[in-house]
Structure formats: structure tokens, C-alpha cells
Amino acid sequence: MNLSLSTLTSANTPLTLNHSAAQVGIVHLGFGAFHRAHQALITDTYMQEFGGNWKIVGVTWGSSDLPQKMAQQDNLYTVGVGYNDTLNVQLISAIEEILTSTQTDQVFAYMCSPDVKIVSLTITEKGYCHHPATGDLDLNHPFIQHDLADPTHPQSAVGFLVEALNIRRQKDIAPFTPLTCDNLPENGHVLEKVVLQFAQARDPELHQWIKNHIQFPCTMVDRIVPRTTENDINRVEQVLGLRDEACVVTEPFLQWVVEDKFVNDRPLWENTSIANIEVTDNVLPFEEMKLRLLNGTHSSMAYLGYLSGYQTIAETIRDPKFKYFIRRMMDDTITPAVHIQGVDLDDYKSQLIERYENTALQHRTWQIAMDGSQKVPQRFLQTMRYGLDHHVDLSPLYLALAGWIRYVSGIDEQHQAIDVQDPLRDEFAAIWEQHKDQPQAIVNAFVHLDSVFSPEFARDNTFIESLTGALETIMTLGSKQAVYQWVSTHKN
Ligand code: CS2
């Protein structure tokens, strides 16, 4: 039996439906697994505890079948919170409906409704259509070119935001707060910059109005939510007694730090009974800690783990040498580049390792390895910039960065194809095709990819030599042995 309004009473665990009478207050662009287990769940709890009209309309991009799946389930879904062998399932009823980005009229009807106070986003790094190394909007991006030519049928999230704000301005409707929840440093500033540059290219007056009236809060979001697998759906069904095609399986940990800078109402999420939600004046130290320590080591395990034959993060960290390598990377290389007061970083790092070890999550190294060109700048390079300026031992991160370069060659260490998913996939393949087994030439070509590497890296001999050395080691020994060798020379 499938989950829906009419089957709720047949569930194994009692499920209560909460907010059927509430109105929509939030539009969320990029309705994926992460949002379902994070902001939507938190907002659901908020409405349970305090009421309010904060139902969410989700918008998906691409050929996702989630809108149909959710519609078949009356827009209900469940979140399975898993820790090793235990799984607890929670019903979420905060979703009004899911649209696709091609349903332009319906999306704008919601985005321009006076009841909608927040438009939040999890569109992934590449959804910002910007150059990661500079933060500038990529005016040559096909979506952006399309949206400048035809602003009322946008393809990009930026195009949707600017047109909706434009309509609200013309109709004198109070604006919404654009709330980015993506893993980008200073994500609010990144969004602000691309929105303003897009508006400027469209209409300088609109640009000025947005500049004067809109605020873009920064946020730090954290919860590990792998893409849902068939296995997850089956496990949730076992617990629930109902089949939920839209479920997500996540970990117990959750954190959300939000900058207090809203131009319209918002739910007071921080007042819910959920721990680790904070509204503050300064999110940047939290972002820095999370992006560098968590996402930096996640991506390191993704590339080096995948190449070592490990399918998941839990499998990678179960290798004691990898565990040692990752912890030393955190302690010696990344921590000097983290500046936060009032957080016990030792606890934070130990907790990260425990989170990685959670076998309830099948978080594939391949999934995290995706879109490296969009992730490497904030996950590796900012830490490395700091380390180069402050004489920090960067050797573990050189291996990780070399692991990325090796991974995107598209051929693994057993000569099998790797399904590389990245906007720069063709550029990577061309570099490897041209320079084959010459680490120095490959590194030289990579550091000149200026949407990833800012120019100072291409001029830095220490950086280039160390990276070349790391790539040479990986190409000679293989990734696993490269990590093992690092461990044997660094273990005291
Ligand atoms: C991961 C993140 O897929 C990835 O790149 O590193 O999605 C990670 O799981 C989250 O940021 C955890 O909060």
C-alpha cells in the first residue's frame, strides 16, 4: 500500500496530519533530498508547534519524476532518520504541491503572491550560473542568455527571482526574502551578486530597486542526505508499513545557522524543539568551519575513496588508514584555516568522523564527487590559500586535489570508465587526452582553468610543484597506496 491521505491510518506507527488548513508562505527552488530532510522538516515542526501559514511549494528542475510521485501521495512524504541499524520515520505534511520549472505561470503565481514571504533555494553550486573563482555571473551561460532574451519564461533560478521581484515591484507587493541554502561560502553574497548582475543586464532601474529593497541572508546548512535509493524506500516501507516513493533517509544530526536579515516575515525556526538552529548576525565563521572541515574532507574521501575502490563514505572511513589520514587532514591542515569562537572544534571533528561512520547512510563517493569544478574552490582551494600564506602543512590536501584531477580523467585505476558529472567534463577529458601520463603538463593545464583556480595559483611555484608531486605519487602508486604511504610517513 502506498502512502497517501487515505492510507495514513494503516501505517505501523501513528502518523498525524498537521497543517492541512495552512496557506503557502514559502516557495522553494530546487526541491531535492536535502530540502526534504532539512528546511521542509524544520518548517513542518515549526507549524506543528506554533501554527502559521508556512506551507511550501517546491519547484524542481530537469526531468525529475518527484512532482508526480508527490502528487500521487497527496504531497505527503516521510523522513527516515537512520543511525547504523535503527531507523525512525517521521511524516512531513508541510508541502502544498511540487511544480516543475517549466510550469512558469504557476510558479510565478506563487512567487508573486503577497502570502509568499520567502523564496528559498537549494539549486546546487552550478545553479548560480556563476564563475566559482570570481563569483561573477556567467553572462555566456545558456540559461542566462535565454533568460535575458525572454525574462518571463526563465530557465535559471536567478531569472525566476529577478522576474518575480520585478512583478512584485510593479504591483506594489511587498518583496520576499531570497534565502539561499546551498553550500557556498557567503552564499547570500553570491546570490546577491548574480541577482544584481542579472538585473543590471536587464534593466538598471530594476537593479537599483533590488539593491535598495532586498536583503540576501547568508546561511550555513548541514545534514547529510544522500540521494534516495531503492533500498532506502524498502527500509522505510518495512518500518512504516506503507510505500513512500518520495522518502529520504538521513542522519540524526542537523544544523542551520541563518543570518538575521529578512525583508518580510519568517517562521521563527530557532524557537522549535529542534536543536542546533540559530539566527545570528554573522554566519561566516560557521560557513567556513562547515565547508572546510566537513565538505573539504567529504570531497577528499569522494575522490581518493572512489579511486581506492570504496563505494561509500562509511566504507572509506572504515579503512583505519583513511580514518587516520582524514583526521590528520582536519587537525593539521584545515583547522588553522577555521576561525570560530565558542565551538569546541575537537568535539566537532570527532562528531564528523562518527557521522561519516554511520552505516545507515549509503552515501556514494561518486555522488559527492560530482561537480568538482564547482566545489573545489571553497572546499580545497580557500583552505590551501590560507595554508600557503601561513606555512601550514598542506600535504593531505595536495593529495586530495590531485585525486580530483586524477578522478576527472574519466578512467579509474582498473582502467574502467568513471561516469564524471561536471560542467567542465569535456575540458577535463581534453586535457588528459592531450597530456596523457605527464603529471606536470596536466597540472599546468588544470591550474589555468580560470573558473576554478584564481590566477595566483597558476603563478605559485610551491603550489604547482607540490600538486605535481602529489599527482605523480597517485599516478605511480595508486590512490590507496598514496594515502597509505602518507600515513606511514606521518604516523608518530
Ligand atoms: C556533500 C554535501 O554532496 C556533497 O557534495 O559534501 O551534500 C554534504 O553531505 C552536506 O553539505 C552535509 O551538510
Side-chain angles (χ1 to χ4, degrees):
M1 206 186 289
N2 291 327
L3 171 70
S4 71
L5 280 176
S6 59
T7 59
L8 279 185
T9 48
S10 313
N12 293 341
T13 42
L15 297 174
T16 31
L17 193 66
N18 285 294
H19 359 263
S20 47
Q23 305 291 311
V24 173
I26 299 175
V27 171
H28 185 80
L29 306 181
F31 186 83
F34 178 76
H35 176 74
R36 273 176 283 162
H38 192 268
Q39 186 193 334
L41 174 142
I42 298 167
T43 306
D44 186 89
T45 304
Y46 179 84
M47 286 196 284
Q48 268 177 55
E49 296 177 357
F50 301 101
N53 290 310
W54 295 110
K55 281 190 100 173
I56 300 169
V57 168
V59 182
T60 60
W61 260 257
S63 58
S64 163
D65 52 5
L66 208 56
Q68 291 95 298
K69 285 181 176 165
M70 287 286 289
Q72 278 160 10
Q73 304 185 171
D74 302 313
N75 294 303
L76 300 173
Y77 72 93
T78 57
V79 176
V81 177
Y83 190 69
N84 296 335
D85 293 335
T86 61
L87 188 72
N88 295 308
V89 177
Q90 184 178 344
L91 179 73
I92 307 295
S93 53
I95 307 300
E96 177 72 16
E97 71 173 308
I98 306 299
L99 300 169
T100 74
S101 62
T102 51
Q103 293 171 287
T104 325
D105 293 346
Q106 289 100 310
V107 176
F108 277 127
Y110 280 117
M111 287 180 85
C112 300
S113 152
D115 297 335
V116 167
K117 314 275 166 60
I118 292 172
V119 174
S120 49
L121 303 95
T122 47
I123 52 176
T124 80
E125 296 85 349
K126 63 174 181 278
Y128 291 79
C129 304
H130 71 314
H131 293 291
T134 59
D136 284 323
L137 180 69
D138 178 1
L139 287 163
N140 292 323
H141 192 292
F143 283 9
I144 298 301
Q145 295 218 325
H146 170 277
D147 296 357
L148 286 171
D150 183 3
T152 57
H153 298 94
Q155 294 180 341
S156 70
V158 178
F160 271 104
L161 286 174
V162 172
E163 178 58 8
L165 289 170
N166 183 38
I167 296 172
R168 291 175 86 114
R169 171 180 75 129
Q170 286 168 347
K171 295 192 173 164
D172 217 10
I173 301 168
F176 52 72
T177 306
L179 183 68
T180 158
C181 295
D182 279 297
N183 283 314
L184 288 162
E186 304 194 44
N187 54 6
H189 301 153
V190 171
L191 182 61
E192 179 172 20
K193 194 165 177 180
V194 292
V195 162
L196 286 175
Q197 289 181 345
F198 183 85
Q200 177 72 33
R202 244 191 85 171
D203 167 3
E205 246 176 62
L206 175 61
H207 167 265
Q208 197 54 44
W209 183 86
I210 295 178
K211 216 170 161 180
N212 294 343
H213 293 90
I214 309 299
Q215 302 264 19
F216 298 80
C218 288
T219 63
M220 179 273 247
V221 294
D222 190 6
R223 190 167 215 187
I224 298 176
V225 195
R227 185 181 284 183
T228 306
T229 62
E230 199 54 31
N231 188 34
D232 294 329
I233 297 175
N234 292 337
R235 280 162 64 219
V236 167
E237 185 175 5
Q238 271 171 11
V239 176
L240 197 63
L242 295 173
R243 192 156 179 86
D244 175 4
E245 298 284 346
C247 70
V248 283
V249 171
T250 185
E251 59 175 344
F253 185 89
L254 170 164
Q255 190 173 13
W256 199 13
V257 185
V258 184
E259 189 180 14
D260 197 2
K261 221 167 80 170
F262 286 72
V263 298
N264 203 327
D265 293 347
R266 68 173 181 87
L268 300 177
W269 293 293
E270 68 278 24
N271 290 350
T272 61
S273 54
I274 302 174
N276 284 333
I277 304 176
E278 213 176 312
V279 176
T280 129
D281 288 345
N282 190 6
V283 177
L284 304 188
F286 291 95
E287 283 185 347
E288 188 184 78
M289 169 180 79
K290 192 262 171 172
L291 281 168
R292 296 183 182 181
L293 281 167
L294 189 158
N295 298 110
T297 54
H298 238 188
S299 287
S300 302
M301 289 188 284
Y303 301 119
L304 296 169
Y306 183 99
L307 292 168
S308 302
Y310 297 136
Q311 296 272 321
T312 65
I313 291 296
E315 207 182 316
T316 311
I317 204 77
R318 209 178 304 138
D319 177 331
K321 291 192 174 135
F322 264 85
K323 183 171 170 177
Y324 183 83
F325 175 73
I326 291 298
R327 180 68 204 227
R328 286 286 301 268
M329 177 192 282
M330 288 179 180
D331 288 342
D332 303 352
T333 303
I334 306 179
T335 301
V338 172
H339 311 87
I340 191 162
Q341 309 285 315
V343 174
D344 183 332
L345 281 181
D346 263 337
D347 270 6
Y348 183 80
K349 290 181 277 188
S350 302
Q351 195 179 22
L352 282 183
I353 302 275
E354 267 173 42
R355 292 169 64 192
Y356 298 157
E357 287 172 333
N358 181 0
T359 54
L361 304 185
Q362 297 295 305
H363 203 184
R364 291 181 64 192
T365 45
W366 172 83
Q367 189 191 342
I368 300 167
M370 269 195 288
D371 293 337
S373 64
Q374 310 288 307
K375 294 173 175 173
V376 155
Q378 61 274 15
R379 295 185 180 202
F380 295 163
L381 298 179
Q382 288 189 352
T383 307
M384 297 177 95
R385 180 72 266 151
Y386 183 90
L388 284 162
D389 294 342
H390 295 85
H391 309 292
V392 175
D393 173 15
L394 293 178
S395 54
L397 268 183
Y398 281 118
L399 279 180
L401 186 59
W404 169 64
I405 294 176
R406 174 67 186 81
Y407 175 91
V408 297
S409 72
I411 305 287
D412 72 13
E413 293 174 358
Q414 280 69 48
H415 312 288
Q416 303 297 311
I418 302 174
D419 178 12
V420 176
Q421 305 265 333
D422 196 292
L424 295 191
R425 179 195 153 111
D426 294 344
E427 280 87 333
F428 299 150
I431 293 176
W432 275 92
E433 176 61 32
Q434 190 183 349
H435 300 295
K436 297 209 164 54
D437 47 8
Q438 303 161 61
Q440 186 153 15
I442 292 165
V443 164
N444 265 321
F446 267 83
V447 297
H448 284 96
L449 291 168
D450 58 8
S451 72
V452 182
F453 292 90
S454 52
E456 74 233 27
F457 284 106
R459 288 194 298 262
D460 188 324
N461 287 334
T462 311
F463 177 78
I464 298 207
E465 274 165 30
S466 310
L467 183 56
T468 305
L471 183 60
E472 210 163 353
T473 309
I474 287 182
M475 287 167 72
T476 324
L477 298 179
S479 298
K480 196 189 254 184
Q481 290 312 319
V483 170
Y484 284 12
Q485 186 192 57
W486 187 96
V487 170
S488 68
T489 52
H490 287 79
K491 203 155 188 163
N492 32 40

